[in-house]
Amino acid sequence: MWQGAKDEDLQAAAAALRAGGLVAFPTETVYGLGADGLNAAACAQIFEAKGRPQDNPLILHIADRAMLEDIVEPLPPAGQALADRFWPGPLTLILRRRETVPDVVTAGLDTVAVRWPDHPVAQALIRATGRPLAAPSANKSGRPSPTQAWHVQADFGDELAGVIDGGQTAVGVESTIVDVTVDPPSLLRPGGITKEALEAVIGPVADPTLTNRPKAPGMKYRHYAPNVPVLRLPNAGLDTARAFLAQHAGEKVGLLLDDESLNVLAPFDPSVLVWNLGPKTHPELAAARLFDGLRRLEAAGCDIMLIASYDETGMGLAVANRINKLSQPLKEEDA
Ligand code: TXA
Ligand code: MG
């Protein structure tokens, strides 16, 4: 394990990347599984290591303007406005690609996803490598995204050239993806920048995530799920939850719930495994804690998990999006 704060470790990681290897590194959203983004063979290894479908394109991570201009056509006005306001940060823009970008990165599309991360280790690594880094989340395909270095090691063991430990990531869910090649711009994945914040800069954005039709190619696959069933509690579903707990007495039930629900359901009950997602009024706490909680309750040997629902405003939109993908609704007849 390399340490993000050590220059010699950073140089070793950059050398591994330049040699075509895979290196996991921290960003402010989740850990990325990085490869030299202009090296087609290195990028192809990402798909192999993750077990990722070939039609699911990668994000290129940059750390300066020159790298951006090298890989994409000049930005349209909405893209420029969002980049000026939110880069570096948890925002990915879909842009018109240049020929320099290998086809394996874009899955053959004429657009490419680009992000300038706001994390000192990610930026230092990109600069030390001297290349944009292609990086999906550093989990095996379908698993919860990694927000700590041990999550990466749990999925990959020693399959990678290395992992840079940068501690816990701050945002905890992936970047917001906006396609600015269409008019109006389209929100392909809600994430670390809220829809409200985007609209304050560029006006109304289309939101295909509100319908069931997946827009970003990756959004159609099973996602973020631990190895046991997860059931989603409706808002104000405490009676249903009580009935569910009674029904499943004797099983190892894990509760990933907001502060208020936990206080009512399992205030001091040591027979239940709990993970506190924070007060419902602060979905950014749920975002930061969600993936770690799924992995920890799974590692603790839960048979089944119950998870809270979130209102789709502010960061609640990104949290609800992830929870909806990894869980099934708990119906009263299940309880
Ligand atoms: O926060 C993040 O975005 C993290 C960190 C590591 O930066 N990365 C991440 O990558 O979440 P990944 O591969 O798990 O998600 C990338 C998403 C996929 O849903 C993919 O389909 C979409 O971006 N995407 C990539 N290129 C695209 C394109 N040209 N058009 C539409 N969607 C694209
Ligand atoms: Mg992912």
Side-chain angles (χ1 to χ4, degrees), residues 29 90-91 171 173-176 190-194 315 318 322:
T29 56
L91 175 70
V171 177
V173 291
E174 302 85 343
S175 60
T176 300
I193 302 288
T194 64
M315 277 294 282
R322 306 311 187 271

Side-chain angles (χ1 to χ4, degrees), residues 120-179:
V121 174
Q123 292 180 359
L125 183 67
I126 297 164
R127 292 203 178 103
T129 310
R131 297 294 191 108
L133 295 182
S137 49
N139 51 279
K140 292 275 183 184
S141 222
R143 297 273 300 149
S145 297
T147 56
Q148 299 187 22
W150 75 263
H151 300 164
V152 180
Q153 292 213 300
D155 278 12
F156 291 100
D158 57 9
E159 281 177 56
L160 311 176
V163 179
I164 307 180
D165 189 352
Q168 189 173 333
T169 65
V171 177
V173 291
E174 302 85 343
S175 60
T176 300
I177 305 180
V178 183
D179 186 349

Side-chain angles (χ1 to χ4, degrees), residues 34-180:
D36 175 348
L38 302 184
N39 176 338
C43 293
Q45 277 191 54
I46 290 180
F47 289 86
E48 184 119 339
K50 275 188 67 112
R52 183 181 179 102
Q54 297 285 342
D55 66 348
N56 191 3
L58 306 174
I59 298 174
L60 288 184
H61 296 71
I62 57 164
D64 61 45
R65 288 245 141 226
M67 274 186 196
L68 180 68
E69 285 161 13
D70 206 33
I71 56 176
V72 296
E73 300 289 330
L75 273 55
Q80 192 60 57
L82 292 176
D84 289 345
R85 173 69 184 81
F86 297 113
W87 275 356
L91 175 70
T92 295
L93 296 177
I94 305 299
L95 298 165
R96 296 254 164 246
R97 67 184 282 203
R98 288 193 195 276
E99 290 295 312
T100 37
V101 179
D103 283 339
V104 62
V105 169
T106 65
L109 298 174
D110 56 9
T111 54
V112 63
V114 183
R115 179 161 106 80
W116 185 330
D118 184 19
H119 191 288
V121 174
Q123 292 180 359
L125 183 67
I126 297 164
R127 292 203 178 103
T129 310
R131 297 294 191 108
L133 295 182
S137 49
N139 51 279
K140 292 275 183 184
S141 222
R143 297 273 300 149
S145 297
T147 56
Q148 299 187 22
W150 75 263
H151 300 164
V152 180
Q153 292 213 300
D155 278 12
F156 291 100
D158 57 9
E159 281 177 56
L160 311 176
V163 179
I164 307 180
D165 189 352
Q168 189 173 333
T169 65
V171 177
V173 291
E174 302 85 343
S175 60
T176 300
I177 305 180
V178 183
D179 186 349
V180 290

